[in-house]
Amino acid sequence: MSSSPHPHVAAIGLGTMGEPMAHNLLRAGFPLTVFNRTPSRADALVAAGASWAPSAAAAVAQADRVLVCLPDTPDVRSLFSASGQNLLAQMKRGSVVVDTSTISPRATRELAREAASFGIAWIDAPVSGGPEGAKKGTLAIMCGGEAEAFERALPLLRTLGQSVTYVGGPGHGQIAKATNQVILAGTYQALAEALVMAKKLGADPSRVVQAISGGAARSWVLENRGPNMLRDEYPLGFKVSLHRKDLAIALEEARAAAVAMPLTALVASQEDALIAQGFAEEDVSALGRLTRRAAGLPAGPL
Amino acid sequence: MSSSPHPHVAAIGLGTMGEPMAHNLLRAGFPLTVFNRTPSRADALVAAGASWAPSAAAAVAQADRVLVCLPDTPDVRSLFSASGQNLLAQMKRGSVVVDTSTISPRATRELAREAASFGIAWIDAPVSGGPEGAKKGTLAIMCGGEAEAFERALPLLRTLGQSVTYVGGPGHGQIAKATNQVILAGTYQALAEALVMAKKLGADPSRVVQAISGGAARSWVLENRGPNMLRDEYPLGFKVSLHRKDLAIALEEARAAAVAMPLTALVASQEDALIAQGFAEEDVSALGRLTRRAAGLPAGPL
């Protein structure tokens, strides 16, 4: 038995986001068991004191909290739902799944119901802030689920993020994340069109940005990704392919809820073209690339 | 002869923006002559010490600086160009026109050329910050024109605005303003789609906004106009009709420069519908109204 005052955590999914999150839990003193499809991703964590589990089922069996960080809805479903590995059936009653993946709100509600039938709580807790925020523990975390379970998961959540917000019932964290990604879609695409227009009209886009930065056009995207677009370089950041996946979630939910999102559909189409042109791994600010290509601008700083 | 250390200013156009700007010049000690198509708009200024001119021509005849604040390109052209009242021919050599109207960059370049042929400088100086900023003298001013003339106009510009940026040659201030309006178009529409989606998916949009406000979705629009959309109330702010006019300028310039701006065109179409439905005088954040109507949401707070 562990003498730690912290609940025992199993971390599943040790990618660009999951690995640094797991490190922060270790550092904060949470007893930690880890599992990942590619075992080598766990080496540094094991060296730092985490236990390696040979399977996801072995990882979660004794855990009080299960931290999940996987790419997409099918990944989470295939582990936890009865149609997949059915991990919920192998977990302790009273334990809490904290799913930091960005997945479908509807799938989340289904998983939360399945979990409840096993006496397990499911907190959807998608994050914003990128690998940098995951490393520093400064993520913004948008949470959905039963309020009581959220309270129990709070010490863990506060270790991972700076701004932890309880939005509402099951799936509401995922709804907040989808909202976030829809806003980003429009903000990036508008900035791309605006800067390419300024350039083609003969102005110096850097000076234009300087002139408008203090006013109503001000945004995180303008401040932090405007320089990428001006330089025609798109280092991560957040991958086009992942943002496109998130827009697919938003558009699918919107269709089910009878909401027309013409701008979101447009940006999704721009990102499809960008991905087909080989830029899936670039930062979302690469939307600027497509707009400048369409306008016949050569590569290079604007 | 005036003993003021300031150059003599003529202010033409005393609307919601022009009138408070003229007041700030008076307060700062600029000798001021004013003209407006509707004379009653000048009453308070005349009471405060401005001279009333019976015509635009009479207003500009002895002025060292001519401050212009009119609604649209044809208004400015009809006063200053040879095909209109030809005011430039009646102004002092060495004087400077400071045009704070938001008009076409191309028309601005033509007017600047016409002005130069009379020995007059033309500074395009469109502003951002609304009636509130005009009153407080806190406008952001984006300037184009000859650098030497910009320097001469600077004491006047600094009286009107807090952030005065020289962007580049003739029309470059207008290009910056068009850039600003394109960015706003996407930011407003994305926010509208995002909040309506969140509502229709069953989340509390206020809590969603709270959850995402600290992250990458952060913007002036989210902070300052998100609450309008949540309340379904759209007080000014900046009129839909004026933003639509500015998008027309951007789209016309973009077409001439062979730039595809699909998002801007989409938002322009949304604003057309909004105007046709009778909401031209509301704040641009009323784009939220159209999206919620399309989604079948009843009026009232989200």
Side-chain angles (χ1 to χ4, degrees), chain A residues 235-266:
Chain A
L236 297 177
F238 190 69
K239 285 181 193 175
V240 175
S241 57
L242 288 176
H243 190 251
R244 179 63 185 89
K245 180 213 80 174
D246 294 353
L247 290 188
I249 291 171
L251 287 165
E252 187 193 328
E253 293 284 321
R255 185 177 50 188
V259 180
M261 302 213 293
L263 177 148
T264 309
L266 185 155

Side-chain angles (χ1 to χ4, degrees), chain A residues 1 7 13 22 29 44 49 65 72 74 83-84 92 108 120 131 142 196 221 245 249-250 252 272:
Chain A
M1 287 260 308
R65 310 279 180 267
D72 202 353
S83 60
K92 285 162 65 175
T108 295
I120 295 164
M142 304 147 234
V196 170
V221 170
K245 180 213 80 174
I249 291 171
E252 187 193 328
D272 284 344

Side-chain angles (χ1 to χ4, degrees), chain A:
Chain A
M1 287 260 308
S2 163
S3 61
S4 167
H6 293 296
H8 191 122
V9 181
I12 296 182
L14 305 171
T16 323
M17 297 296 289
E19 205 246 0
M21 287 197 273
H23 268 295
N24 285 336
L25 292 178
L26 258 189
R27 247 177 251 124
F30 287 88
L32 185 71
T33 303
V34 297
F35 175 77
N36 193 60
R37 270 182 301 187
T38 309
S40 62
R41 293 281 311 176
D43 290 351
L45 283 161
V46 171
S51 309
W52 169 254
S55 68
V60 302
Q62 298 307 316
D64 304 300
R65 310 279 180 267
V66 175
L67 179 75
V68 182
C69 190
L70 294 168
D72 202 353
T73 310
D75 306 298
V76 179
R77 266 211 186 104
S78 76
L79 279 181
F80 289 92
S81 83
S83 60
Q85 292 190 39
N86 204 14
L87 288 189
L88 290 167
Q90 297 156 66
M91 287 171 58
K92 285 162 65 175
R93 287 187 71 86
S95 61
V96 183
V97 177
V98 176
D99 181 20
T100 63
S101 323
T102 295
I103 69 167
S104 149
R106 273 182 300 169
T108 295
R109 280 195 298 274
E110 287 161 24
L111 286 160
R113 267 196 301 273
E114 285 195 60
S117 74
F118 291 104
I120 295 164
W122 186 285
I123 297 296
D124 49 306
V127 303
S128 161
E132 182 92 352
K135 274 185 196 110
K136 292 186 180 164
T138 56
L139 296 167
I141 315 186
M142 304 147 234
C143 302
E146 300 305 327
E148 168 276 325
F150 169 74
E151 293 296 333
R152 277 192 288 146
L154 210 41
L156 179 150
L157 290 163
R158 288 234 171 94
T159 303
L160 305 179
Q162 204 160 43
S163 144
V164 179
T165 308
Y166 179 69
V167 182
H172 288 201
Q174 299 293 354
I175 293 172
K177 181 69 185 285
T179 304
N180 189 74
Q181 302 301 63
V182 165
I183 290 174
L184 285 180
T187 313
Y188 276 107
Q189 176 66 19
L191 183 59
E193 295 186 7
L195 294 184
V196 170
M197 178 192 73
K199 173 68 178 182
K200 289 274 288 191
L201 295 185
D204 176 343
S206 305
R207 298 185 85 141
V208 167
V209 165
Q210 197 185 321
I212 65 177
S213 288
R218 176 166 55 75
S219 69
W220 183 97
V221 170
L222 178 61
E223 281 160 38
N224 293 279
R225 296 296 181 256
N228 286 8
M229 291 196 194
L230 292 175
R231 277 195 305 269
D232 197 24
E233 289 172 2
Y234 311 99
L236 297 177
F238 190 69
K239 285 181 193 175
V240 175
S241 57
L242 288 176
H243 190 251
R244 179 63 185 89
K245 180 213 80 174
D246 294 353
L247 290 188
I249 291 171
L251 287 165
E252 187 193 328
E253 293 284 321
R255 185 177 50 188
V259 180
M261 302 213 293
L263 177 148
T264 309
L266 185 155
V267 179
S269 167
Q270 298 281 116
E271 292 184 357
D272 284 344
L274 202 54
I275 291 166
Q277 289 175 24
F279 302 111
E281 304 296 304
E282 287 191 335
D283 184 72
V284 194
S285 49
L287 278 165
R289 195 190 272 288
L290 210 72
T291 303
R292 47 190 296 158
R293 282 187 167 192
L297 279 174
L302 277 180

Side-chain angles (χ1 to χ4, degrees), chain B residues 146-172:
Chain B
E146 300 305 329
E148 168 276 325
F150 169 74
E151 293 296 334
R152 277 192 290 146
L154 210 41
L156 179 151
L157 291 162
R158 289 232 170 94
T159 304
L160 305 178
Q162 204 160 44
S163 143
V164 179
T165 308
Y166 179 70
V167 181
H172 288 200

